[in-house]
């Protein structure tokens, strides 16, 4: 017990020392950034502190439950307000690094086959190789020492993902990183980098830095490193658009009443689809508030729309509530040929509902093959064909999802327990008795502990490498947990749909949702809309005689189609009920 307490005190001492060093490095970095012209959007004429380029808009803070270190609002901030500006000269790109290093520039020209991201990775490692003599040293010390992207996953963490698509993505990312490292090795040796910077581990660090920290610029596909700008943590698009979040003082937000958004540029910024980008007119990377923020709130940035697997692959984290997450399931082989959609469109949403493309594909598949063509346009327009067809589609989806869950070695509930066990182990260095765990969890946990050599002669030894491995293992388990929750939600959704039909409709499922009269109305609607549009255009003052003639001909053609379509549908509707459209394929 005394040895354990002594060890804990020693660990605590080193942690506190590391935190002190981190605070000093951060202070030095912010001073460096201020001197290079990185600024905030000033709301007053007060001179900013020389130690911080963010003093009156943003400050660095810790958010343990929401991304770790990030940027917080130093005051109330309005939606669309410019909050940070990073001059072009401070952006770290491969071009600027080569411009300031002739040896690097000459060496890179000898390797034209390397892609832009490989060149940036080599240039980054070359800058690290310079140490304190590098102009970027205060900034480089802010980079993490390691990342948790899929390329960084070991074999056991990759297998912990359990789902074939995720395992394949991780293996592909790992192989790609290793292949690019081998291709760039000759260049790195020419630059005479230190031995540790020539290793695959260093290359993974450089690749992870580029993948998770760079921002888009129009003149370099590899992107740029943006000091201070890369402190913003991520928020998924659409998460922060509620009315309640567009209030700071309890009053509804109004652009007309906002005295802080006076210029045309700032008014336009309030309606930006993205909240950061390089602006040529000011030659700076500019960041705007995506919503209103109260003082002390974390200010977030949207990098784009990503699933949890994509976030894990490129950035090394997962969102517990990601509205853009997707779960893909294997389909019947003939389903893919029934639609023109890409396979990426065939997925299940976080709430368990199938995507439009997936639902349409399953609906048309549930129709007998010789009857699919006449109803295909209805399916692809989003209409339910019949109660029977909908039930068959929902049954197939539910059965497929249940089969997937049954085939996996652990359940979502067991994954949740394993996450708790690993959390407690990281905190207390104590592991619950193996006997108390379900056998599947015990075997997975024992295999992981043995592979990382966490226990040596009965004593728990958690090295920094083992600690990072535990973090990646938790990410793998967390990802598969969310995947299983989506699949479970789909089963629940399908069951609810089927039960609603059973409780409200005849059990024979013969009622056709799209009545013949409705079919006639739907088909004519599109033709009628075009006629109305052309008629309204002809009522406007049209200077070009050719355009007016073309519109008149268009109206004549559409009116003719309207009459032909009407007669055709009336003839076909009479026999609409004569077909046995929907049968149960194999249920």
């Amino acid at each position: 017990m005394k040895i354990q307490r002594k060890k804990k005190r020693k660990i605590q001492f080193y942690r506190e020392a590391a935190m002190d060093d981190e605070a000093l490095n951060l202070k030095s970095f912010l001073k460096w950034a201020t001197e290079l012209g990185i600024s905030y959007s000033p709301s007053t004429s007060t001179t900013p502190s020389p130690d911080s380029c963010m003093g009156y808009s943003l400050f660095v803070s810790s958010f343990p439950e929401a991304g770790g270190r990030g940027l917080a609002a130093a005051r109330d901030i309005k939606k669309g307000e410019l909050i940070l500006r990073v001059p072009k000269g401070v952006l770290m790109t491969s071009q600027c690094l080569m411009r300031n290093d002739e040896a690097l520039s000459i060496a890179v020209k000898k390797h034209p086959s390397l892609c832009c991201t490989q060149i940036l990775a080599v240039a980054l490692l070359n800058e690290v190789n310079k140490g304190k003599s590098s102009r970027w040293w205060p900034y480089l010390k802010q980079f993490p020492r390691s990342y948790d992207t899929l390329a960084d996953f070991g074999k056991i963490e990759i297998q912990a993902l359990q789902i074939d698509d995720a395992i394949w993505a991780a293996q592909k990312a790992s192989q790609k990183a290793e292949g690019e490292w081998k291709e760039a090795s000759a260049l790195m040796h020419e630059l005479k980098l230190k031995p540790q910077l020539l290793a695959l581990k260093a290359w993974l660090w450089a690749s992870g830095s580029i993948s998770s920290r760079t921002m888009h610029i129009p003149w370099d596909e590899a992107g740029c490193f943006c000091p201070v700008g890369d402190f913003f943590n991520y928020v998924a698009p659409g998460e922060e658009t509620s009315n309640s979040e567009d209030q700071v003082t309890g009053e509804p937000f109004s652009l007309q009443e906002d005295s802080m958004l006076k210029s045309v540029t700032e008014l336009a910024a309030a309606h930006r689809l993205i909240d950061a980008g390089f602006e040529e007119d000011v030659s700076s990377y500019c960041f705007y508030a995506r919503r209103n923020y109260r003082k002390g709130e974390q200010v977030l940035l949207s990098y784009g729309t990503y699933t949890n697997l994509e976030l894990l692959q490129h950035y090394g984290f997962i969102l517990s509530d990601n509205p853009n997450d997707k779960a893909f399931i294997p389909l019947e082989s003939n389903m893919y040929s029934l639609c023109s959609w890409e396979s990426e469109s065939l997925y299940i949403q976080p709430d368990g509902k199938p995507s439009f493309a997936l639902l349409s594909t399953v609906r048309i598949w549930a129709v007998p093959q010789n009857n699919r063509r006449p109803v295909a346009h209805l399916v692809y327009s989003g209409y339910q064909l019949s109660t029977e067809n909908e039930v068959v589609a929902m049954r197939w989806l539910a059965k497929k999802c249940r089969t997937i869950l049954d085939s996996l070695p652990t359940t979502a509930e067991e994954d949740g327990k394993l996450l708790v066990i690993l959390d407690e182990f990281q905190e207390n260095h104590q592991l619950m008795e193996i006997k108390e765990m379900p056998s599947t969890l015990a075997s997975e946990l024992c295999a992981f502990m043995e592979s990382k050599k966490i226990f040596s002669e009965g004593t728990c030894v958690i090295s920094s490498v083992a600690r990072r491995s535990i973090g990646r293992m938790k990410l793998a388990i967390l990802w598969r947990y969310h995947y299983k929750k989506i699949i479970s939600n789909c089963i629940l959704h399908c069951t609810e749909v089927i039960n609603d039909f059973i409780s409200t409709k005849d059990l024979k499922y013969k009622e056709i949702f799209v009545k013949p009269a409705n079919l006639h109305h739907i088909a004519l609607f599109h033709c009628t809309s075009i006629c109305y549009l052309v008629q309204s255009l002809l009522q406007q003052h049209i200077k070009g005689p050719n355009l007016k003639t073309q519109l008149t001909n268009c109206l004549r053609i559409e009116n003719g189609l309207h009459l032909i379509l009407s007669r055709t549908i009336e003839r076909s509707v009479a026999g609409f009920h004569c077909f046995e459209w929907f049968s149960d394929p194999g249920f």
Side-chain angles (χ1 to χ4, degrees), residues 68 81 123 130 171 213 278 361 432 462 529:
E81 187 180 343
K130 297 176 183 178
Q171 290 173 338
R213 300 182 75 85
F278 185 80
T361 300
M432 67 179 291
I462 305 182
S529 299

Side-chain angles (χ1 to χ4, degrees), residues 433-474:
E433 288 292 333
I434 298 295
K435 297 177 182 178
E436 300 175 11
M437 300 182 196
S439 59
T440 50
L441 295 189
S443 59
E444 183 175 21
L445 195 56
C446 287
F448 173 73
M449 295 291 183
E450 287 176 8
S451 69
K452 302 304 175 182
K453 299 180 180 178
I454 292 176
F455 284 99
S456 177
E457 298 179 358
T459 305
C460 175
V461 181
I462 305 182
S463 63
S464 58
V465 174
R467 191 176 295 109
R468 288 194 293 270
S469 295
I470 292 173
R472 291 168 190 154
M473 187 70 173
K474 286 169 61 178

Side-chain angles (χ1 to χ4, degrees), residues 456-526:
S456 177
E457 298 179 358
T459 305
C460 175
V461 181
I462 305 182
S463 63
S464 58
V465 174
R467 191 176 295 109
R468 288 194 293 270
S469 295
I470 292 173
R472 291 168 190 154
M473 187 70 173
K474 286 169 61 178
L475 283 171
I477 297 168
L478 187 61
W479 181 84
R480 78 194 194 199
Y481 169 81
H482 285 298
Y483 177 90
K484 293 170 189 175
K485 292 296 289 184
I486 294 176
I487 297 299
S488 298
N489 287 341
C490 185
I491 296 173
L492 187 62
H493 167 72
C494 293
T495 303
E496 289 175 349
V497 170
I498 294 171
N499 288 341
D500 285 344
F501 284 140
I502 291 176
S503 63
T504 57
K505 305 295 178 186
D506 189 301
L507 288 178
K508 294 180 181 180
Y509 308 115
K510 291 298 181 184
E511 179 177 346
I512 295 199
F513 277 33
V514 183
K515 306 288 187 185
N518 290 341
L519 178 65
H520 180 263
H521 171 74
I522 293 163
L524 293 183
F525 172 77
H526 300 289

Side-chain angles (χ1 to χ4, degrees), residues 214-272:
T214 54
M215 297 185 179
H216 170 75
I217 47 175
W219 66 88
D220 191 337
E221 289 184 12
C224 69
F225 291 104
C226 184
V228 180
D230 53 12
F231 278 19
F232 287 101
N233 283 321
Y234 174 79
V235 64
E239 274 193 11
E240 299 193 328
T241 56
S242 65
N243 292 331
S244 62
E245 289 178 320
D246 276 341
Q247 297 178 14
V248 171
T249 59
E251 297 296 327
F253 178 70
S254 171
L255 285 177
Q256 289 76 15
E257 296 174 357
D258 185 10
S259 61
M260 298 182 68
L261 296 177
K262 294 179 180 178
S263 71
V264 175
T265 302
E266 288 176 316
L267 285 170
H271 297 283
R272 294 167 64 92

Side-chain angles (χ1 to χ4, degrees), residues 17 27 30 45 88 100 103 106 117 126 133 205-206 236 277 303 311 332 338 371 441 446 449 454 524 541:
K27 186 176 180 180
L30 294 177
S45 60
K88 183 177 181 179
N100 297 323
I106 293 172
T117 53
N126 183 62
S133 65
W205 173 84
Y303 313 153
L311 287 174
E332 305 297 336
L338 292 177
N371 292 327
L441 295 189
C446 287
M449 295 291 183
I454 292 176
L524 293 183
H541 178 62

Side-chain angles (χ1 to χ4, degrees), residues 292-332:
N292 291 343
Y293 290 99
R294 296 182 186 276
K295 182 178 179 180
E297 276 191 283
Q298 181 173 197
V299 181
L300 299 165
L301 179 70
S302 174
Y303 313 153
T305 301
Y306 295 98
T307 65
N308 269 343
L309 186 60
E310 290 168 337
L311 287 174
L312 191 55
Q313 178 177 350
H314 299 294
Y315 299 101
F317 66 84
I318 286 173
L319 294 180
S320 58
D321 185 17
N322 186 357
N324 303 305
D325 203 10
K326 301 173 183 177
F328 294 90
I329 60 174
L331 305 180
E332 305 297 336

Side-chain angles (χ1 to χ4, degrees), residues 319-372:
L319 294 180
S320 58
D321 185 17
N322 186 357
N324 303 305
D325 203 10
K326 301 173 183 177
F328 294 90
I329 60 174
L331 305 180
E332 305 297 336
S333 57
N334 63 336
M335 283 186 174
Y336 296 101
S337 61
L338 292 177
C339 65
S340 58
W341 286 294
E342 298 288 339
S343 58
E344 290 78 9
S345 302
L346 308 171
Y347 59 86
I348 300 171
Q349 302 170 149
D351 60 2
K353 295 179 181 178
S355 66
F356 177 84
L358 177 58
L359 180 58
S360 299
T361 300
V362 178
R363 280 172 174 169
I364 194 68
W365 174 80
V367 176
Q369 187 172 356
N370 60 330
N371 292 327
R372 286 170 182 165

